[in-house]
């Protein structure tokens, strides 16, 4: 059965993740404990859920750097509602989701209607959504203060599934990864997004409404940032303005490590999922080897570089294979002499 | 033909026209709300505030012009400043040590620039993610060599002290450095073959190759220039503060990118001038200054900056599209929309 | 026609997904607070028997989790810790520093990691008073004594070393009012932390409260200084100097900003207006400026003594195996490390007492 | 053959571009189950009629009939709706998706919520079996070679039960084996009753495939030949019409033998096997041959843009450098084939585009002297009549002709010793063409070597002093100005030796 290039790429990433886990597992004994594994999955779920959302935009050939603003804004909105004990948990969650989706919608409008460049617009909208969060922050006589979220049911979201060590957010992350994978590979919307990323001209010529595709991509990215924001606030049981710091760039880096490369058309939800897992295992493992943050930063940078180099090389190989056929330009045919040469 | 000619003059004229109108608007508002804005002290404080990322912006412009980007400028500045300080602390305050330390920091910057250039030009890796990775790596490296400590310089004197705190005709030395580097950058880009070829490589790499311009060489040198300016900014900062820490200049890529975008530099490459970048940096400084002087609740500083970027980008996109008559682009992109009404005469 | 209906279908699909997701989520979490779940809250008692430790043998790992792992006071703090443990190479105790980079989520992750790695004691500078309660509770349940420093945490724990920010601000205002000889209606400017850090770094709030309660000073403005860096302090101070003609008192959230403000004042040529600058923590540059009389004073945190005494306390707690949980404490015992108001007059003796020499 | 009904018929189609009449009352007719070829020189209106049928351009007058029903085609959608599908040279496939996903892109068959993969796969398999393609419907396009991708494009056309498939130069990027594969595919399609409109330059392809051939010249359908009527002579006479020498050469320059660019046994991959030629100063050397026969690669090897696989090139005895920049200083210049991607810098203005290659002259001191630059640009704008005349206008916004003048002017102003031109007048209106020829003649007058690659037979015959024809990787025939004729050149390009001209 001929393997799709994408599956080859993913098998290799899975291999890397397992290899790294084994490496860390041997060097420190506290790596392969149940508690540590569940913690890895919980840490990975926050940036992972965001990466799933951002992967829609990146596969469609764009980029979304506003994750830190959206996570902070949604977190603060839920904390606001969470403090007023009266609100039932589902209402808080719905408000959070809608807030995230709304931010994504605004991004989408700016890109499709105003034709602004995606890179700088989402970078700026990150600041703007963080500004919304400052608007909602708790204040004691004028000074920003922190207030504990008291809504029990909502807080439980951030904790374990009762009687187990597994965190709700990691389970939701795995489920969402599967759902997003299905959307991206099975539904019409998903196929059109890949087509848009890989060959925009022919997608447009096949009568696909490109603006609508991009808009939905951004709305989903915003929605997933909202989900991540909800889980983080529930876990922290208080919302500070530092929520979601540098998530915008992290999410894009995680996607890139997972094969969902800028430029579009490449990679899918599984890649984003593996990228997140890869990064968090790296950090968690490095932690155990040497607690000093400098080593972690250096390795985090190097690993991203290696992943990107590998990815660029892999894609070049695929292209080289295609062009080698075309380059052998046609040699001329049998002389026409064979044709009746008379008058 | 004259209509076409008029339209472009107006468009080109209008970019600087816009900038002058914005400045006039600021002057009018401040004259009413807070006349103290015009005091020489305040002007100097604005210039000092923007000097550091202004220096970096004039280097980053080269990278953006060739179609790349460098998100690691903050870490490069911190690394440059730290190496500069460590060498001086390890030796003495003499002029000789100052120059060797200065050159050492520049050398390290050149190395980092070579690395970025190699990844982009020879390996074809996307500069956005590469420089994001080196940002982490260099931040960790600076942390490692300083063992996470501050390096205060208590007995600063001589050239080390003058670099950051010296004054020339009352103008602080970082501002002078910014103006000098901006002028050099503008001169190189406008007046020298190298500068013109940077635009060529950014505009159309294939055509550049056929005109004898090696895009690999120009990409490498652009990243080196950016890293060197970042290192210089780091040294200015360290000398002014007389203390160096690995966290210094963290996140400087934010205001630098803002200055470029407000200065109508096209992040895709090939378009943008040093004059625009200077104006962009100045406007960023003025806005931050106005926020304080007018007394807007500074909790919303970043929010206001975000809105201004979107506004600047929208204006640039609108004017450039209008001058190319693309505003009704939807019509052209989707020809099936221009189906004449049934029965309407054709064409 | 076709695309319109497709759009409506996608939107309804999306909305439905949200509803299902929301209800599904909250349904599965409606269970009780859950043993491992959050919502620990104060006053939980339970049997946490924990064997007393014999400190003479076996590797004992102590974790220090500061807000930011760098800063001029780091070396003195570490010296204090190690001296209390009998020098760096005492063979028994090791201290690991974990930098939480002012990020609450990262700090909680670090704490949970320390629990799984079975550290013997934790010294924590909380990034958010409420966020860390549960994880401190977990540590205490696991028999690891946690001492928090500087920033308070609301939940109970074995001890809280409070040379806290709030008090430092409060004392500074009191000292200035008493000794600086400024007029009653003096103009005051506060250079404070950015909003995100306000809940945890509360010197500015302390100074402001004292100012409102016992003085008739006129608080012109409170300006946040990003990264509390020296160059930003310099820029913002020079803007304020341009805005106000007479500023009498400048309270800054740390010494870097104080030195920045001083540089702004000197470059504006107003150093002889006798503007009182007050810093916090006692960084070398500021101490030197105080010696030269260019900065009025600072709240010197005798970091050495604080860390020394904290380490002694931790050794005691480890030996006796007492934690707030197993004592069933409802509140947190407070250990006040008072910051020492240091001015030109008393700087020499303060420094010699703290064993800090300005090389 | 069974009575074939007319699948596609156009009647009296007219079209003009800013005043120039490009199509004059064009009638075209394709029968069902027929492979109908369409030939014509560049600019004969061949691609314009195709663009009108496929909805890219909108016709000014005339009527299109599909199966004898009048249809209105304003856009690609209308064309597809009426069963007209096109396969362009650069394929419109999405490499990341599978064959089935590509074929049904934009028109998926929907199940309840998800696209019905089984049904789509079944339909694709049915098509594959019916036309005996050997393609796996689930294979990813990225893993396929060029020929297989073309078959997927054909499948895509057949999937919307296209009544007619239009193929535009499909074999230009294929190897011999792949071309053979395409021909057998076309044969099976014909047998199954699918009608194909096949556009190509290659006579032998037409002869092998076409049931009938329509030839166009200067926007008119000049004749339809049946299969057995297709002979090289008939076709070329139709394509060229009566030989007319528009601008008689005023006087023949004597090539000066000591200023020579000589190429010995040049080899480039498997395209050029053994190229030998000498180009002399004061002579315009035309290079003819079919599209894709390696002429562009030849002049790029001379210029240093491509690395040759063998042989050596010398200018006045000295070996030519491998670095473009050194060649430019040495007096060489190249006007590339594709203006948009390799010619000018859209964002830079006219002055900058003109001076970008001449900083060795304008910036002797390392600094570009504004005075020289302004003068250099002003002279160029005047000499080459570039409009608009203000030199601050970005070249991206100029008309095609003016853009070409800028690219040409960039080199002419340098008074080059050797000027290489690749399709210099492609897509340029007649008025500008004459100006460009005059400029080339003036340069030749001053003793420069000029090598011009061109597929415009009229241009080759009227402008060049000497013409060399590339065929099968080597020079096949040489014609002097006197005995060159468009007919001869077209035949020679396909390898037919009619005795005239020197056989190399």
């Amino acid at each position: 059965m001929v393997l799709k290039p994408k599956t080859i790429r993913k098998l290799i990433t899975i291999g890397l993740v397992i290899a790294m886990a084994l490496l860390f597992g041997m060097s420190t004994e506290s790596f392969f404990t149940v508690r540590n594994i569940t913690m890895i999955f919980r840490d990975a779920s926050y940036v992972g859920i965001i990466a799933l959302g951002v992967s829609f935009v990146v596969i469609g050939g764009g980029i979304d750097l506003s994750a830190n603003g959206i996570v902070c804004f949604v977190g603060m909105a839920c904390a606001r509602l969470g403090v007023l004990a009266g609100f039932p948990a589902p209402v808080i969650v719905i408000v959070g989701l809608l807030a995230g989706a709304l931010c994504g919608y605004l991004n989408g409008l700016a890109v499709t209607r105003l034709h602004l460049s995606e890179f700088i617009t989402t970078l700026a909208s990150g600041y703007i959504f963080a500004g919304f969060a400052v608007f909602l922050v708790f204040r004691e006589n004028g000074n920003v203060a922190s207030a504990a979220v008291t809504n029990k049911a909502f807080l439980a979201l951030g904790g374990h599934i009762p009687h187990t060590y597994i965190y709700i957010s990691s389970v939701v992350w795995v489920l969402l990864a599967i759902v997003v994978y299905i959307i991206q590979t099975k539904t019409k919307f998903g196929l059109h997004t890949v087509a848009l990323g890989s060959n925009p001209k022919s997608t447009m010529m096949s009568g696909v409404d490109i603006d609508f595709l991009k808009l939905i991509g951004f709305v989903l990215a915003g929605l997933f940032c909202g989900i991540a924001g909800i889980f983080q606030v529930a876990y922290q049981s208080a919302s500070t303005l530092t929520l979601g710091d540098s998530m915008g760039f992290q999410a894009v880096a995680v996607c890139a490590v997972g094969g969902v490369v800028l430029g579009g058309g490449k990679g899918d939800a599984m890649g984003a999922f593996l990228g997140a897992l890869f990064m968090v295992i790296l950090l968690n493992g490095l932690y155990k080897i040497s607690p000093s943050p400098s080593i972690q930063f250096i390795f985090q940078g190097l690993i991203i570089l290696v992943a990107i180099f590998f990815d660029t090389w892999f894609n070049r190989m695929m292209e080289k294979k295609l062009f080698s056929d075309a380059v052998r330009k046609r040699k001329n045919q049998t002389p026409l002499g064979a044709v009746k040469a008379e008058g | 033909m004259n209509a076409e000619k008029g339209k472009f003059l107006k468009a080109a004229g209008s970019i600087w026209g816009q900038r002058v109108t914005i400045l006039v608007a600021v002057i009018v508002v401040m004259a009413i709300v807070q006349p103290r804005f015009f005091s020489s002290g305040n002007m100097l404080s604005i210039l000092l505030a923007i000097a550091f990322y202004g220096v970096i912006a004039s280097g980053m412009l080269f990278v953006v012009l060739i179609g790349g980007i460098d998100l690691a400028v903050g870490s490069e500045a911190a690394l440059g400043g730290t190496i500069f300080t460590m060498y001086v602390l390890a030796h003495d305050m003499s002029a000789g040590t100052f120059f060797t330390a200065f050159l050492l920091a520049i050398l390290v910057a050149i190395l980092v620039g070579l690395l970025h250039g190699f990844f982009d030009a020879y390996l074809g890796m996307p500069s956005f993610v590469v420089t994001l990775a080196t940002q982490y790596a260099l931040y960790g490296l600076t942390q490692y060599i300083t063992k996470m400590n501050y390096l205060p310089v208590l007995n600063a004197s001589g050239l080390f002290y003058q670099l950051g705190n010296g004054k020339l005709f009352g103008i602080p030395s970082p501002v002078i450095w910014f103006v000098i580097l901006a002028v050099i950058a503008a001169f190189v880009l406008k007046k020298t073959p190298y500068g013109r070829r940077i635009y060529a490589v950014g505009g159309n790499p294939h055509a550049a190759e056929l005109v004898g311009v090696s895009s690999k060489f120009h990409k490498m040198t652009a990243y080196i220039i950016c890293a060197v300016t970042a290192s210089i900014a780091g040294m200015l900062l360290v000398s002014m503060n007389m203390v160096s820490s690995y966290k210094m200049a963290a996140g400087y890529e934010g205001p630098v990118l803002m200055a470029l975008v407000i200065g109508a530099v096209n992040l895709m490459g090939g378009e943008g001038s040093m004059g625009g970048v200077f104006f962009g940096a100045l406007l960023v400084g003025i806005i931050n200054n106005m926020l304080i002087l007018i007394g807007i609740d500074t909790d919303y500083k970043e929010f206001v900056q975000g809105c201004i970027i979107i506004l600047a980008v929208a204006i640039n996109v609108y004017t450039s599209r209008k001058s190319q008559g693309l505003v009704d682009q939807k019509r052209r992109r989707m020809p099936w929309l221009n189906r004449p009404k049934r029965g309407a005469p054709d064409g | 026609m076709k695309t319109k209906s497709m759009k409506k279908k996608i939107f309804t699909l999306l909305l439905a997904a949200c509803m299902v997701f929301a209800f599904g989520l909250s349904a599965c979490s409606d269970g009780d607070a859950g043993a491992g779940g959050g919502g620990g809250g104060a006053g939980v008692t339970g049997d946490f028997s924990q064997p007393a430790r014999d400190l003479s043998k076996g590797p004992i790992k102590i974790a220090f989790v500061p807000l930011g792992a760098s800063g001029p006071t780091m070396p003195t703090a570490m010296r204090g810790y190690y001296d209390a443990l009998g020098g760096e190479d005492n063979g028994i105790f090791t201290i690991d520093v974990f930098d939480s980079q002012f990020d609450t989520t990262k700090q909680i992750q670090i704490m949970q990691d320390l629990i799984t790695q079975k550290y013997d004691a934790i010294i924590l500078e909380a990034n958010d008073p409420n966020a860390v309660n549960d994880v401190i509770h977990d540590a205490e349940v696991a028999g690891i004594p946690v001492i928090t420093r500087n920033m308070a945490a609301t939940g109970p724990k074995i001890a809280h070393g409070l040379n806290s920010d709030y008090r430092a601000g409060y004392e500074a205002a009191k000292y200035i009012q008493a000794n600086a000889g400024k007029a009653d209606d003096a103009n005051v400017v506060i250079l404070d932390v950015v909003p995100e850090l306000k809940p945890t770094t509360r010197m500015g709030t302390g100074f402001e409260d004292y100012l409102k309660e016992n003085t008739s000073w006129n608080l012109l403005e409170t300006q946040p200084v990003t990264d509390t860096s020296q160059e930003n302090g310099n820029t913002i101070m020079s803007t304020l100097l341009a805005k106000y003609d007479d500023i009498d008192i400048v309270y800054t959230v740390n010494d870097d900003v104080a030195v920045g403000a001083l540089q702004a004042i000197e470059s504006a040529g107003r150093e002889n207006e006798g503007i009182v600058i007050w810093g916090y923590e006692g960084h070398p540059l500021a101490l030197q400026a105080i010696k030269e009389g260019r900065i009025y004073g600072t709240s010197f945190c005798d970091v050495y003594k604080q860390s020394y005494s904290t380490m002694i306390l931790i050794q005691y707690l480890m030996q006796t195996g007492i934690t707030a949980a197993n004592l069933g404490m409802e509140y947190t015992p407070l250990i006040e490390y008072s910051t020492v108001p240091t001015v030109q007059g008393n700087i020499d003796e303060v420094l010699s007492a703290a064993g800090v020499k300005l090389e | 053959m069974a009575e074939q009904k007319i699948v596609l018929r156009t009647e009296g189609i007219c079209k003009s571009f800013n005043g120039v009449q490009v199509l004059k009352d064009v009638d075209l007719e394709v029968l069902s189950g027929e492979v109908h070829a369409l030939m014509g020189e560049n600019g004969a209106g061949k691609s314009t009629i195709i663009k009108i049928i496929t909805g890219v351009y909108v016709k000014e007058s005339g009527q299109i009939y599909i199966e004898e029903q009048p249809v209105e085609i304003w856009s690609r959608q209308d064309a597809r709706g009426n069963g007209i599908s096109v396969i362009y040279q650069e394929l419109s496939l999405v490499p990341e998706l599978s064959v089935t996903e590509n074929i049904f892109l934009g028109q998926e068959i929907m199940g309840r919520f998800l696209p019905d993969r089984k049904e789509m796969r079944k339909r694709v398999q049915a098509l594959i079996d019916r036309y005996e393609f050997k393609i796996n419907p689930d294979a990813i396009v990225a893993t396929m070679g060029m020929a297989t991708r073309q078959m997927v494009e054909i499948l895509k056309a057949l999937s919307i039960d296209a009544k007619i498939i239009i193929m535009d130069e499909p074999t230009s990027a294929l190897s011999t084996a792949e071309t053979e594969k395409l021909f057998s595919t076309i044969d099976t399609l014909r047998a199954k009753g699918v009608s194909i409109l096949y556009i190509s330059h290659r006579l032998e392809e037409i002869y092998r495939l076409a049931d009938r051939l329509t030839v166009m010249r200067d926007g008119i359908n000049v004749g339809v030949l049946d299969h057995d009527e297709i002979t090289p002579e008939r076709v070329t006479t139709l394509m060229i019409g009566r030989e007319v020498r528009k601008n008689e050469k005023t006087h023949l320059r004597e090539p000066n033998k000591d200023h020579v660019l000589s190429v010995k046994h040049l080899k480039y991959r498997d395209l050029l096997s053994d190229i030998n030629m000498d180009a002399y100063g004061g002579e315009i050397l035309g290079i003819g041959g079919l599209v894709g026969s390696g002429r562009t690669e030849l002049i790029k090897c001379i210029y240093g843009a491509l690395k040759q696989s063998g042989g050596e090139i010398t200018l006045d005895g000295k070996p030519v450098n491998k670095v473009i920049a050194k060649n430019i200083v040495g007096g060489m210049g190249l006007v590339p084939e594709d203006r948009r991607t390799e010619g000018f810098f859209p964002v830079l203005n006219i002055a900058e585009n003109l001076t970008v290659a001449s900083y060795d002259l304008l910036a002797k001191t390392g600094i570009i002297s504004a005075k020289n630059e302004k003068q250099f640009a002003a002279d160029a704008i005047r000499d080459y009549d570039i409009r608009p005349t203000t030199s601050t206008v970005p070249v991206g916004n100029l008309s095609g002709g003016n853009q070409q003048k800028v690219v040409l002017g960039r080199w002419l102003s340098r008074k080059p010793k050797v000027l290489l031109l690749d399709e210099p007048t492609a897509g340029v209106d007649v008025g500008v063409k004459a100006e460009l020829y005059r400029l080339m003649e003036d340069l030749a007058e001053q003793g420069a070597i000029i090598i011009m690659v061109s597929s415009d037979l009229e241009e080759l015959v009227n402008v060049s002093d000497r013409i060399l024809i590339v065929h099968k990787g080597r020079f096949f025939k040489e014609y002097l100005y006197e005995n060159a004729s468009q007919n001869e050149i077209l035949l020679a390009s396909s390898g037919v030796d009619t005795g005239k001209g020197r056989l190399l």
Side-chain angles (χ1 to χ4, degrees), chain D residues 272-388:
Chain D
L272 303 171
S273 46
D274 179 20
I275 296 282
N276 301 291
M277 75 167 189
D278 291 332
Y280 303 107
E283 174 197 42
I284 295 182
L285 176 67
I287 298 186
L290 293 176
V291 170
S293 53
R295 295 169 301 164
T296 306
E297 284 72 12
L298 167 60
I299 51 172
K300 278 194 172 172
C301 283
I302 295 172
Y303 188 61
L306 291 178
K307 208 159 66 55
Q308 70 231 38
S309 326
E312 29 98 356
I313 306 164
T314 59
L315 175 62
D316 301 345
K318 295 189 298 309
V320 164
N321 202 298
K322 288 285 172 293
V323 175
I324 296 178
K326 295 230 171 23
N327 286 344
I328 293 176
V329 171
M332 264 199 191
L334 168 73
V335 177
E337 176 186 11
D338 183 344
R339 269 194 309 275
R340 183 150 292 283
T341 51
E342 289 177 328
F344 58 85
F345 303 95
V347 176
L348 299 185
N349 64 34
I350 294 179
E352 284 158 353
N353 265 284
L354 283 171
T355 58
V356 76
S358 310
Y359 294 135
D360 53 348
L361 307 173
L362 298 170
K364 287 201 173 53
T365 61
I367 298 165
I368 301 171
S369 89
K371 194 168 56 53
N372 299 5
E373 186 183 22
K374 224 180 243 63
Q375 188 55 41
F376 187 93
D379 296 349
I381 291 177
R382 187 189 64 248
D383 296 351
Y384 316 125
D385 182 18
I386 297 168
R387 270 191 298 279

Side-chain angles (χ1 to χ4, degrees), chain C residues 305-317:
Chain C
K305 278 209 175 54
Q306 287 169 18
S307 21
Y308 191 94
S309 49
T310 313
M311 197 50 84
I312 298 289
L313 175 62
I314 282 205
Q315 284 173 356
Y316 168 72
L317 294 175

